[in-house]
Amino acid sequence: MTNLSEKNICYDLAVIGGGINGLGIATDATGRGLSVFLCEKDDLASHTSSASSKLIHGGLRYLEHKEFRLVREALAEREVLLAKAPHIIRPMRFIMPHRPHLRPAWLIRTGLFFYDHLGKREKLAGSQTIQFQADNSPLKEEITRGFEYSDCAVDDARLVVLNAMQARENGAKIVTQTRCKSAKRVDGIWLIELENEQGIYQIQAKVLVNAAGPWVAQFIQQDLKLKSPYGIRLIQGSHIIVAKMYEGDKAFIMQNDDQRIVFAIPYLNQYTLIGTTDREYTGDPNQVEITQQEIEYLLDVANDHFKVQLIQTDIISTFSGVRPLCDDESDNPSAVTRDYTLALTQDMESEAPLLSVFGGKLTTYRKLAESAMAQLHPFFSEMKPYWTERSLLPGAEELVSVDNLAEQVMQKIKGVSVELANRWAHAYGTRVWKFLGHSISIHELGQDFGHGLYAQEVDYLVDQEWVIVSEDILKRRTKIYLEFVESEVQILDEYLISLHERRLRKDVA
């Protein structure tokens, strides 16, 4: 069916894709005074943007591939993003065990010197050489020295959602579970056909932004019936999750014989996240799953370094994603550039522009969005200036510290554990009060779904964060899916179905 209220609206920008790049561009555009529509065929951050190593990092290994511009930009962005969203981003120290047969110490020290000085660094500590003591090191006894430096950890999916919230608060229209079926240029305007569970409808836009990630080239060729300006290479990255392998809050960056590196990262207090892999992927991006070869690869790298020896049955969970990288014809998947390329196509001056995003990484999403807006500036001469560097993402407003906020939550809500207060504070920042409301006891938060998930939080996520099914909550909004058993998931889904039906009846009334 046609949504008549949308049909006659002509947005400045229509953005296809609800990953970090699409939302970054949408957010930036709204703050510059542009009207924005964004659609995502699934849930926000449901593909590449939630399948990352959960890091905001400069990319130490990219120095070996001479990606100096990318590394400099990424290093500077660490502190920008840390200030924008200190509730979901935190500093983390990384330890690189020295393996002399792989890289000489002088080479690593040189790389870390550049890492310390290429980008602006105020809050993050610099690098240093360290010695390991056999009795208190989680590493094998033959590994006696290493290097330590700083980067940041991030809740990747929440970074996307917070950008979506900021875009909406600035006036953007954001819809999920809505696929762009086709788009065509008519009289200098894009006529865009969309499909959701209610049916098919159309919108109009002056500029179309293709931020479809793994589907960027496919969208151009199949849905727009145009020629893609660049090829795309899908590089699969997979991770495994195991029980916590060592104490402390530092991550390890492990070198391997193939010159790649693998991270071991503290994850959700009780796990260790190990990844990532790099392999060419030619299948359906909707169906990407870890391979047996990748499992063995990650286990081998971990077992080469740690005293705790892992076997396949130790794996609690896995996740995989594909990075849509611009094809630079490199023979080695690890060496394909992680830098982004923006392609603006407009055959005639009167033709509606198409901006397509190829590549990119989580850390540089904000700079990518600024570059996109610079390319679009000629079409919107009244566009406001740069603004995102110093703007806080939702939940960072009036946030003194996450620890302080967690303390306030425990003082106000009787019966809340330290663990739960910390989860809320890290996930929502000061927006936590939006769903806690006037409650003074945990028993006032509605139905208990287990593992610290209550109805008031679920209702808030449906109302404010585009949640539809349990996976949206458990895997992307809260990351507590590892705690839930199938019967508990079913109860949550039944509640969500009932909640959506009630909201639908209210909307009709």
Side-chain angles (χ1 to χ4, degrees):
M1 68 180 187
T2 302
N3 186 329
L4 295 175
S5 64
E6 298 281 2
K7 188 174 181 181
N8 297 318
I9 298 175
C10 185
Y11 293 92
D12 291 324
L13 257 63
V15 182
I16 311 302
I20 191 61
N21 290 333
L23 266 309
I25 291 169
T27 303
D28 197 330
T30 57
R32 294 175 191 247
L34 303 185
S35 60
V36 176
F37 178 95
L38 180 143
C39 69
E40 161 57 43
K41 70 183 182 66
D42 298 307
D43 179 33
L44 299 177
S46 54
H47 297 286
T48 303
S49 295
S50 61
S52 77
S53 297
K54 327 296 180 196
L55 300 178
I56 297 295
H57 65 131
L60 183 60
R61 71 186 178 91
Y62 305 149
L63 289 173
E64 286 190 315
H65 303 301
K66 300 180 175 60
E67 300 252 21
F68 296 113
R69 191 212 66 78
L70 175 63
V71 175
R72 183 185 293 110
E73 186 171 274
L75 287 171
E77 279 300 284
R78 296 177 309 175
E79 302 225 1
V80 171
L81 296 179
L82 190 57
K84 282 173 66 69
H87 48 318
I88 63 164
I89 301 172
R90 68 186 189 281
M92 182 175 276
R93 293 293 279 176
F94 287 74
I95 297 171
M96 176 184 281
H98 182 40
R99 311 295 297 276
H101 66 290
L102 296 178
R103 289 176 180 88
W106 68 263
L107 180 64
I108 296 173
R109 279 197 297 267
T110 302
L112 288 173
F113 176 83
F114 279 114
Y115 210 68
D116 283 343
H117 296 96
L118 262 179
K120 184 180 176 185
R121 182 174 54 82
E122 294 176 351
K123 297 178 183 175
L124 298 175
S127 62
Q128 63 181 23
T129 303
I130 55 175
Q131 302 291 326
F132 302 120
Q133 304 300 322
D135 55 343
N136 63 5
S137 170
L139 301 170
K140 288 184 170 180
E141 291 186 4
E142 63 265 27
I143 303 175
T144 58
R145 62 186 294 222
F147 308 88
E148 186 173 307
Y149 66 94
S150 293
D151 266 323
C152 295
V154 65
D155 186 329
D156 50 6
R158 290 211 62 76
L159 183 63
V160 176
V161 171
L162 295 187
N163 272 276
M165 291 172 69
Q166 188 170 52
R168 180 182 59 199
E169 288 165 13
N170 285 334
K173 171 81 171 179
I174 295 173
V175 295
T176 63
Q177 305 299 327
T178 300
R179 187 174 74 87
C180 179
K181 286 190 60 155
S182 66
K184 59 184 178 181
R185 294 171 166 123
V186 178
D187 297 329
I189 295 290
W190 282 102
L191 192 61
I192 302 160
E193 189 174 73
L194 304 161
E195 182 177 31
N196 60 21
E197 64 175 5
Q198 277 84 44
I200 295 170
Y201 66 101
Q202 291 180 338
I203 63 163
Q204 299 176 40
K206 296 173 186 173
V207 174
L208 183 62
V209 176
N210 172 13
W215 296 272
V216 59
Q218 178 183 313
F219 178 73
I220 296 171
Q221 293 158 358
Q222 295 184 12
D223 300 320
L224 303 184
K225 309 299 184 192
L226 299 172
K227 189 175 185 297
S228 178
Y230 295 100
I232 198 83
R233 284 178 74 175
L234 300 182
I235 306 299
Q236 178 172 342
S238 295
H239 296 76
I240 60 174
I241 298 170
V242 299
K244 184 191 280 191
M245 294 179 66
Y246 56 88
E247 293 303 315
D249 57 1
K250 295 180 181 179
F252 287 83
I253 173 171
M254 302 174 286
Q255 303 175 75
N256 194 40
D257 294 338
D258 60 3
Q259 296 299 301
R260 290 204 65 258
I261 57 97
V262 171
F263 293 107
I265 304 168
Y267 189 56
L268 303 176
N269 300 320
Q270 51 186 316
Y271 307 104
T272 299
L273 177 65
I274 300 172
T276 180
T277 57
D278 267 318
R279 65 183 289 269
E280 205 88 32
Y281 184 76
T282 56
D284 181 353
N286 288 302
Q287 306 296 329
V288 59
E289 290 182 351
I290 195 168
T291 66
Q292 183 61 33
Q293 185 179 7
E294 287 177 300
I295 289 172
E296 292 169 3
Y297 177 86
L298 294 175
L299 292 175
D300 286 346
V301 175
N303 289 337
D304 281 346
H305 287 78
F306 288 100
K307 290 173 183 171
V308 172
Q309 295 290 285
L310 299 172
I311 58 175
Q312 192 155 335
T313 53
D314 291 321
I315 298 173
I316 296 167
S317 186
T318 69
F319 63 87
S320 301
V322 287
R323 297 182 285 272
L325 305 180
C326 198
D327 190 358
D328 60 4
E329 299 184 355
S330 170
D331 294 333
N332 178 4
S334 297
V336 181
T337 181
R338 266 55 177 174
D339 212 342
Y340 52 83
T341 300
L342 301 175
L344 183 66
T345 52
Q346 184 193 30
D347 293 339
M348 298 178 294
E349 196 173 316
S350 60
E351 197 172 61
L354 167 67
L355 182 70
S356 297
V357 180
F358 293 84
K361 61 198 292 284
L362 201 67
T363 306
T364 53
Y365 86 89
R366 193 192 66 83
K367 294 298 288 185
L368 181 152
E370 285 189 342
S371 297
M373 299 317 296
Q375 292 217 23
L376 296 178
H377 188 270
F379 307 101
F380 302 103
S381 57
E382 301 300 310
M383 186 189 293
K384 294 177 184 176
Y386 296 115
W387 70 281
T388 58
E389 182 175 353
R390 300 194 182 281
S391 73
L392 300 177
L393 286 173
E397 311 95 337
E398 300 177 13
L399 180 64
V400 177
S401 77
V402 176
D403 290 342
N404 177 264
L405 179 59
E407 280 288 334
Q408 290 178 31
V409 168
M410 284 190 289
Q411 287 171 12
K412 184 173 185 292
I413 313 293
K414 291 182 176 64
V416 170
S417 67
V418 175
E419 183 183 17
L420 180 54
N422 277 321
R423 178 175 76 76
W424 283 344
H426 277 286
Y428 304 107
T430 51
R431 297 292 176 101
V432 70
W433 304 117
K434 294 282 187 183
F435 69 81
L436 291 179
H438 299 293
S439 303
I440 58 170
S441 165
I442 199 162
H443 302 299
E444 295 177 15
L445 300 181
Q447 185 173 341
D448 179 0
F449 298 100
H451 316 289
L453 185 66
Y454 292 86
Q456 273 185 215
E457 182 179 3
V458 172
D459 292 357
Y460 169 83
L461 290 171
V462 170
D463 187 55
Q464 295 295 316
E465 296 197 6
W466 296 272
V467 157
I468 294 176
V469 296
S470 61
E471 184 179 297
D472 302 344
I473 295 176
L474 301 178
K475 281 201 170 178
R476 289 178 284 278
R477 304 306 187 281
T478 68
K479 299 285 197 298
I480 55 176
Y481 68 99
L482 295 171
E483 311 302 311
F484 273 67
V485 299
E486 193 174 329
S487 59
E488 293 169 326
V489 173
Q490 187 176 344
I491 290 169
L492 177 57
D493 266 323
E494 288 169 357
Y495 178 86
L496 287 167
I497 291 168
S498 172
L499 184 60
H500 285 298
E501 286 175 349
R502 290 201 303 273
R503 286 163 61 92
L504 197 59
R505 285 197 295 270
K506 185 178 177 182
D507 289 344
V508 170

